[in-house]
Structures are given as structure tokens and as C-alpha cells.
Amino acid sequence: MYKKAKDINVGLVTKGVKKDKGKERSVLRLVVPSIMFAMVLAACSTTTTSNTSAKGNKEGRKTPVTIGLIAAETGSQALDGKITIDAVDMEVEAINAKGGAAGHPLKVITLDNETTNSGTVADFERLSENSAVKAIIGTPISTDTQAVIPLDKTAKIVYIYGGSEPELGQEGDPWLIRTRPTDDVTSKVAADLSKQLGLKTVAIIHSTDSFGASAAALGQAALSKAGIKVVSSIGYVDGTPDFTPTALAAKQAGAQGLLLYTTEGEDSGRLIKALAQAGVTTKNTTIIGLASAPTTPSLQIGGSAWNGAYMVSDMFCGANNLSKSFCEKFEAKYHLTPDLNASYAYDGVQLIAKAIENTGKTSRSAIRSGILSVTGPAGLEPGNYDFNKYGNGIHAEHILRVEDGHLTFFEDES
Amino acid sequence: MYASVSLVTKLIDLLASGVGLGAAYAVAALGFVVLYRATNLVNFAQGDFSLVASFLMILMLEKIHQYAIAFLLVVVVMALFGIVFHFVAYFPVRNKSWLPVVVTTIGASLVIENGVLVTAGPVPRSVESPVGSGGFSLLGAHIPFIYVFAVGMMIVIVFGQHVLFERTMFGKRLQATAQDRGMASLLGISVLRATVFTFAFSAAVGGIAGLILSPILTATIGLGQEVVIAAFAAAIIGGFGSISGAIIGGLLVGLVDSLGAGFIANTYLLAFGYILVIVILVVKPQGLFGERIGEKA
């Protein structure tokens, strides 16, 4: 016993003497590799060049056209990013299998923005500086699109995005192409639906982030214009662990209808469950979900609490034959249900391909003018493409209803 | 049309959610504090034990359909995970100053989170509640069973921890090691064994916190960060190093968030706990139950 203790004591003293440089080096040897390893893991798929080489490319007929793709592969929106990346890869593969766009095979360079605005800006700089990249598909997030606009004005490259903040298109960047409806279109559709359902009073629950706050204000204005009284506007913070206070506030509002402007799909699912626990269900209240409410995580987490709710969404697998076929292939290949994170990017690829086919050119400016001249249906988004002076191409929404945990078609509205 | 909510009903609803979540935070904080007491280590990867346990539970339930067995297996695996964590992330830097040790835990946290992302994918997963999704009514308020389960688990763990540390010779050795590692060594206590056990215990408790929280919050890659932030706040409020402080701190974080959001401003739900942290740091920097730095020295 004594001997053992003595040995340990000596060991401790020896270690104390051996401090200094050797020790610091050993610290570095341990700490630096662990951080490096973490960073490598985090960024293990940071840059991906898709290998969807075309038959046309093999035959060596025309030069490939490279599309840059910025998406979240890590961070809180990694699932959204995965759906976007998979949708783009799948569509590029399909176009290349048919010989490419006017014989030009498409290639994709994917960069991970790590679910940060700064990541998107850094990715944009890398992609726009690469002369081989002819167009960039960005994220469905308005704030990072806002951050990219000053750079895009200088870089002069088509930036296809899904952010729904209406004012983004009015920032004076002629290279911005929006492939989703804006929040004012969505809010008008939600207000019209509320009126159609005979609602006199509505409460709004919204995320307090820039999307949620702005969209809720637009929703409030649209409802007032439709003659519907907004009795309460309840904000919550993204990622809140407890929706009980929010649900109780909604219950206290005593409105006939609830409009949910949620940013994160997980939050939508947790919110609808908390509402149900508080006694606010689709049986006693008309619930209309917007933004992330009709997404896969929201429906998975919310489960049966969503049954009977209405959804305003720009992506619906049952909308038409193209959507059905796309969703079937996507689900078979990736075991995920595609949502709006897929549709805006899918349409982006379609628009680029159509632009190349229509103009016969692959320059950045030709792709821009080619896209802006596209009219009619061009993909998964609802309605027809008809670009206005702000680069907004889509002006309609699907209205859906949740039945037995699945989205079903209610009607289209613009 | 539903009935409007009375003040009493609202208070009970908010107390239930505050205590339920607070109990889970308390369990997470307990793992945090036990490790700190034994090693002086502030482990920023503590929340990742909850993350790993949540996804492990999903995997286990796919193979084993009995919750209790799956629960025990996850706890055992998490204890082993804690031992591996000790030898990989702590043991090599155990004699360094606090900074490299803390940085190593941050690095380990990144590795674990991205490891889970690569392995399990980014899809948020619902985790089965051991007590189902129902609840009971109390004066018009709905009390979900999962909150009762959370409080029950907290009581069991606190009791178990008390028995282990206070009523067994092994526990006394652990305490001796926590109080003075050098003296414990001189007395023939295996510091290594005690430290390894503490990591295993901390990871198992962190895992249990994850198993309580994931049916409420769902299992997402961000779960670990949510847990570590709440546990850190609870530990500061209760007094870093105090077991009872961790429990009270966890409950206070849950209650203050819930009641503050319900009665003051819903928008600031996440802020109320931190306001309390600031108040405690100003008024009683050592925390509600913490010892003064001079006393520790």
C-alpha cells in the first residue's frame, strides 16, 4: 500500500518537473489534431463535384456547363440542404441522361454553407470567381440571399434562390432569379383561404426571426384587407424547447383560426403538438400552416396533430404527373419526401437548361436572359413562370390539407 | 370552439412544463457537475452524451421493442462511451492547464456531433416516450405523462447518486479523489479508476437526460447544444460543483423560462434563464449552493 502510494507520488513530482516546452508540444500534438479532425469531419463533404457526366460529354460534342450550388450540408438546416442537393443531383443526372442541355452536359459544384450567412457569402465568392461556373443556385433563406446581393451585383452571375422576402427582388440586382412565391403572395393566398373558410377572427403564431416577423406582418395586412380581424400575433424564438406558453397564448386568444408562420420544420411539429396538448386542435380551430409547416420534419414530428389542418405550400408531390414522378423517384433513391427545399432548386436546374436550349449559348448573360424569357410551367413550382421586373417567376401556391398524416390537394390559388 | 384558459389552469400548465423540462435539465446538469467535482473539467461535450443516447435509443428500439431493456442497454453503452471519451479526450491532457482541456472537449463535441450527422443523417427523429404521448387533466390543465416521467427519473437518479457517493466505500473513494487527488493517491486510492468511473457515470447520466428530453424535443443534431447550454446555466445558478445546486438550478431554469414566457413575454422564453444566470452571478457569484473560491482552495 505504502509502496504504491510512494510510486504514485514520485510519478506526480516527476511530471511536475517535466513541464514546460515538451508539455506544451504534447498539448499541441493532442489538441490541434483533435480540432483538425473535427473540422475535417465537419467539412468532409464541403466541396462536391457531382459525377453525373453525360452521354453527350462522353461523346465529346460540347463543353460542360457548370452550376454552382450552395446548400447546408452541416448545421441546423442540414436536412433542408440534403434535400436541395439531392434534388439538383437527380435532375442534373436526368438531363445529362437525355444528352444534356442543348448537348451541353451539366456539372454541379456543391459547397456547404454550414447553415450560416457567412458560409453562403464565402461559397458565393468561391463559385463566382470560378469562370467555369455559369449560374449559382443558392438557398431558400432570405437573409443569406440579402448578404449575397452586393457581391452578385459585381460578379454578374445568375443567382437562383428560394428566399421569400418580397423586398429581395427590389434591391436592384438584375441577376437575382426567384423560383418560389414571395411572402406577399403566400399571405394573400392564406387570407383568401381564411375568408373562403368563413373565418372572422384569426391569431398568428410566428417565428421572431427576420422571415417570421416580416411574413407575419404581411399576413396581418392581408387578413385585415380581407376583412378578417387579427386578434393576436404571438412570436416565438426558433428552436424554443417549450411551446407550452405559445400554445396557451394561442388558446387565450380565442380565435376561430390560426395562421402558423414557422421557419424550422422541427418547430412546426413541436408547436402543433403543444397546441393539441393545450386543447387547440383542428377539430375546434381552423389551422393554416405556412412556410416550414408542410415540410417533412414538421409532418413527422407533428404526426396526427396535423390531421385536418390546411397548408399553403409551393411544393406538393401530388400536384401533377411531373411532381408525382419526381417524388416517386426521389423517395426511392433517397428515402426522403421532397419538399420546398427540392422544388425551388429543381426548377432552378430546369430554368438553366431551358435557357441554354432557348439561346444556344452558355455565357452568364445568355443564361440570365434565357431564364427571364421562360414562360409557362417549368418544373415543380405551382402555376406558370412569368418573370416580373424583380426577377420573381412564381406567383401561385398550392392549398393542401392534411389527412391521415398525408398532404392532399385542396386547390391552387394565386 | 375550445374553452378559454383560466389563470389557475395556465399556471398549472406552465408549472408542469417548467418542472418537466427543468427536471431533464437538472439530470443533465448533474452529469456536468459530478465530472467537474471529480476532475475540475467543464465538459462542453456533455450535451453530446444526450445526443448520442437519443439516436442510440432509436436504433435500439428498432431492434428491441421493449423500452425498459433498450433503456438499460443505452445507459450501459453510454457508460462505456464515457470511458472511451475519458481515454481519448481527457486522459492525454489531464495534467495540462484548463484551457487545452476545455478546447479538447469542444473539439470532441464537434467530432461527436458530426459523427452522429454522418452516421444517422440529418433527419430529425421522433423518439418513443416510455409513458406514451398522453397525459392527465388537473384543474383544466393538461399534464403530459412524459413530464411526470422526467421528474421521477430525476428523483431516482438523485437518490441513486446519493446512495452511491454517500453510502458506499467506493463512493467515499470517489469523493476523496474529487476533493484532493494527490492525497487520495497517497492513501492508495486509484485516481485513474475513480476518474474513469466518474466519466462513465457522467456519460450515463447525460444519456439519461437525452432519453428524457428527446421525446419532448425530438432527436436532432442540435440536441447536444440545447442540453449543454441549459445544463451550464443550471450549474452556474446552483453553484458549479454542487450536486443539490445542479438539481435546483435545472428546475429553476425550466421554471423561470416557462413562467417568464407565459406571464411576461413569450418571445423571450430562452432569455429568462440567462437573466437569472446574470442576476446570480452579480448577487451570489458562487451560485446558490456553491462554495466560495476561498473555501475550495
mmCIF file of all heavy atoms in Angstrom, chain A residues 182-201:
data_model
loop_
_atom_site.group_PDB
_atom_site.id
_atom_site.type_symbol
_atom_site.label_atom_id
_atom_site.label_comp_id
_atom_site.label_asym_id
_atom_site.label_seq_id
_atom_site.Cartn_x
_atom_site.Cartn_y
_atom_site.Cartn_z
ATOM 1 N N THR A 182 -43.357 34.807 -53.357
ATOM 2 C CA THR A 182 -42.931 35.686 -52.261
ATOM 3 C C THR A 182 -43.932 35.591 -51.103
ATOM 4 O O THR A 182 -45.038 35.076 -51.265
ATOM 5 C CB THR A 182 -42.856 37.147 -52.740
ATOM 6 O OG1 THR A 182 -44.135 37.494 -53.261
ATOM 7 C CG2 THR A 182 -41.794 37.328 -53.804
ATOM 8 N N ASP A 183 -43.524 36.140 -49.962
ATOM 9 C CA ASP A 183 -44.399 36.079 -48.780
ATOM 10 C C ASP A 183 -45.702 36.843 -48.975
ATOM 11 O O ASP A 183 -46.711 36.526 -48.341
ATOM 12 C CB ASP A 183 -43.663 36.635 -47.552
ATOM 13 C CG ASP A 183 -42.572 35.703 -47.080
ATOM 14 O OD1 ASP A 183 -42.695 34.487 -47.326
ATOM 15 O OD2 ASP A 183 -41.584 36.180 -46.491
ATOM 16 N N ASP A 184 -45.688 37.875 -49.823
ATOM 17 C CA ASP A 184 -46.960 38.590 -50.002
ATOM 18 C C ASP A 184 -47.944 37.754 -50.826
ATOM 19 O O ASP A 184 -49.150 37.793 -50.574
ATOM 20 C CB ASP A 184 -46.795 40.026 -50.557
ATOM 21 C CG ASP A 184 -45.786 40.122 -51.672
ATOM 22 O OD1 ASP A 184 -45.339 39.059 -52.149
ATOM 23 O OD2 ASP A 184 -45.455 41.251 -52.074
ATOM 24 N N VAL A 185 -47.411 36.938 -51.754
ATOM 25 C CA VAL A 185 -48.298 36.014 -52.489
ATOM 26 C C VAL A 185 -48.870 34.994 -51.494
ATOM 27 O O VAL A 185 -50.084 34.748 -51.447
ATOM 28 C CB VAL A 185 -47.515 35.279 -53.610
ATOM 29 C CG1 VAL A 185 -48.370 34.169 -54.224
ATOM 30 C CG2 VAL A 185 -47.060 36.260 -54.682
ATOM 31 N N THR A 186 -47.977 34.424 -50.673
ATOM 32 C CA THR A 186 -48.386 33.408 -49.698
ATOM 33 C C THR A 186 -49.425 33.965 -48.727
ATOM 34 O O THR A 186 -50.431 33.311 -48.429
ATOM 35 C CB THR A 186 -47.153 32.918 -48.909
ATOM 36 O OG1 THR A 186 -46.134 32.573 -49.837
ATOM 37 C CG2 THR A 186 -47.477 31.725 -48.039
ATOM 38 N N SER A 187 -49.174 35.174 -48.242
ATOM 39 C CA SER A 187 -50.087 35.779 -47.271
ATOM 40 C C SER A 187 -51.449 36.059 -47.889
ATOM 41 O O SER A 187 -52.486 35.867 -47.247
ATOM 42 C CB SER A 187 -49.484 37.078 -46.725
ATOM 43 O OG SER A 187 -48.329 36.763 -45.995
ATOM 44 N N LYS A 188 -51.440 36.516 -49.128
ATOM 45 C CA LYS A 188 -52.719 36.787 -49.814
ATOM 46 C C LYS A 188 -53.508 35.475 -49.979
ATOM 47 O O LYS A 188 -54.722 35.440 -49.734
ATOM 48 C CB LYS A 188 -52.457 37.434 -51.179
ATOM 49 C CG LYS A 188 -53.728 37.836 -51.916
ATOM 50 C CD LYS A 188 -53.445 38.383 -53.291
ATOM 51 C CE LYS A 188 -54.731 38.648 -54.064
ATOM 52 N NZ LYS A 188 -55.566 37.458 -54.244
ATOM 53 N N VAL A 189 -52.799 34.417 -50.349
ATOM 54 C CA VAL A 189 -53.452 33.112 -50.519
ATOM 55 C C VAL A 189 -54.039 32.647 -49.175
ATOM 56 O O VAL A 189 -55.179 32.178 -49.109
ATOM 57 C CB VAL A 189 -52.452 32.070 -51.078
ATOM 58 C CG1 VAL A 189 -53.027 30.661 -51.006
ATOM 59 C CG2 VAL A 189 -52.072 32.412 -52.514
ATOM 60 N N ALA A 190 -53.255 32.823 -48.098
ATOM 61 C CA ALA A 190 -53.728 32.400 -46.769
ATOM 62 C C ALA A 190 -54.934 33.224 -46.334
ATOM 63 O O ALA A 190 -55.898 32.692 -45.754
ATOM 64 C CB ALA A 190 -52.599 32.530 -45.751
ATOM 65 N N ALA A 191 -54.909 34.521 -46.631
ATOM 66 C CA ALA A 191 -56.032 35.398 -46.258
ATOM 67 C C ALA A 191 -57.289 35.028 -47.060
ATOM 68 O O ALA A 191 -58.392 34.965 -46.509
ATOM 69 C CB ALA A 191 -55.645 36.854 -46.499
ATOM 70 N N ASP A 192 -57.099 34.778 -48.357
ATOM 71 C CA ASP A 192 -58.241 34.387 -49.201
ATOM 72 C C ASP A 192 -58.841 33.065 -48.713
ATOM 73 O O ASP A 192 -60.059 32.887 -48.688
ATOM 74 C CB ASP A 192 -57.803 34.246 -50.668
ATOM 75 C CG ASP A 192 -57.497 35.594 -51.309
ATOM 76 O OD1 ASP A 192 -57.847 36.625 -50.688
ATOM 77 O OD2 ASP A 192 -56.882 35.624 -52.389
ATOM 78 N N LEU A 193 -57.960 32.138 -48.339
ATOM 79 C CA LEU A 193 -58.428 30.845 -47.827
ATOM 80 C C LEU A 193 -59.209 31.040 -46.523
ATOM 81 O O LEU A 193 -60.280 30.445 -46.332
ATOM 82 C CB LEU A 193 -57.232 29.910 -47.588
ATOM 83 C CG LEU A 193 -57.552 28.563 -46.934
ATOM 84 C CD1 LEU A 193 -58.435 27.704 -47.844
ATOM 85 C CD2 LEU A 193 -56.265 27.800 -46.606
ATOM 86 N N SER A 194 -58.689 31.908 -45.650
ATOM 87 C CA SER A 194 -59.370 32.180 -44.371
ATOM 88 C C SER A 194 -60.772 32.723 -44.624
ATOM 89 O O SER A 194 -61.740 32.335 -43.957
ATOM 90 C CB SER A 194 -58.575 33.194 -43.538
ATOM 91 O OG SER A 194 -57.266 32.736 -43.333
ATOM 92 N N LYS A 195 -60.867 33.613 -45.607
ATOM 93 C CA LYS A 195 -62.163 34.212 -45.943
ATOM 94 C C LYS A 195 -63.107 33.142 -46.514
ATOM 95 O O LYS A 195 -64.274 33.060 -46.131
ATOM 96 C CB LYS A 195 -61.950 35.337 -46.966
ATOM 97 C CG LYS A 195 -63.131 36.264 -47.109
ATOM 98 C CD LYS A 195 -62.781 37.425 -48.002
ATOM 99 C CE LYS A 195 -63.984 38.351 -48.147
ATOM 100 N NZ LYS A 195 -63.671 39.504 -48.997
ATOM 101 N N GLN A 196 -62.534 32.317 -47.400
ATOM 102 C CA GLN A 196 -63.310 31.248 -48.022
ATOM 103 C C GLN A 196 -63.851 30.275 -46.969
ATOM 104 O O GLN A 196 -64.946 29.747 -47.098
ATOM 105 C CB GLN A 196 -62.395 30.502 -48.997
ATOM 106 C CG GLN A 196 -63.059 29.443 -49.832
ATOM 107 C CD GLN A 196 -62.026 28.677 -50.673
ATOM 108 O OE1 GLN A 196 -60.977 29.214 -51.020
ATOM 109 N NE2 GLN A 196 -62.323 27.430 -50.982
ATOM 110 N N LEU A 197 -63.071 30.072 -45.894
ATOM 111 C CA LEU A 197 -63.485 29.140 -44.836
ATOM 112 C C LEU A 197 -64.392 29.811 -43.806
ATOM 113 O O LEU A 197 -64.776 29.197 -42.805
ATOM 114 C CB LEU A 197 -62.253 28.543 -44.147
ATOM 115 C CG LEU A 197 -61.348 27.670 -45.036
ATOM 116 C CD1 LEU A 197 -60.054 27.316 -44.318
ATOM 117 C CD2 LEU A 197 -62.076 26.399 -45.477
ATOM 118 N N GLY A 198 -64.682 31.085 -44.030
ATOM 119 C CA GLY A 198 -65.636 31.795 -43.183
ATOM 120 C C GLY A 198 -65.076 32.274 -41.856
ATOM 121 O O GLY A 198 -65.830 32.521 -40.904
ATOM 122 N N LEU A 199 -63.763 32.443 -41.772
ATOM 123 C CA LEU A 199 -63.169 32.893 -40.503
ATOM 124 C C LEU A 199 -63.381 34.393 -40.309
ATOM 125 O O LEU A 199 -63.229 35.176 -41.251
ATOM 126 C CB LEU A 199 -61.669 32.583 -40.477
ATOM 127 C CG LEU A 199 -61.271 31.120 -40.654
ATOM 128 C CD1 LEU A 199 -59.752 30.972 -40.626
ATOM 129 C CD2 LEU A 199 -61.896 30.260 -39.569
ATOM 130 N N LYS A 200 -63.735 34.771 -39.078
ATOM 131 C CA LYS A 200 -63.903 36.192 -38.757
ATOM 132 C C LYS A 200 -62.730 36.694 -37.906
ATOM 133 O O LYS A 200 -62.370 37.859 -37.946
ATOM 134 C CB LYS A 200 -65.211 36.417 -37.963
ATOM 135 C CG LYS A 200 -66.459 35.897 -38.650
ATOM 136 C CD LYS A 200 -66.908 36.812 -39.750
ATOM 137 C CE LYS A 200 -68.183 36.282 -40.403
ATOM 138 N NZ LYS A 200 -68.282 36.680 -41.807
ATOM 139 N N THR A 201 -62.182 35.777 -37.091
ATOM 140 C CA THR A 201 -61.044 36.150 -36.232
ATOM 141 C C THR A 201 -59.915 35.129 -36.405
ATOM 142 O O THR A 201 -60.154 33.924 -36.480
ATOM 143 C CB THR A 201 -61.449 36.173 -34.740
ATOM 144 O OG1 THR A 201 -62.006 34.893 -34.400
ATOM 145 C CG2 THR A 201 -62.453 37.260 -34.445
#
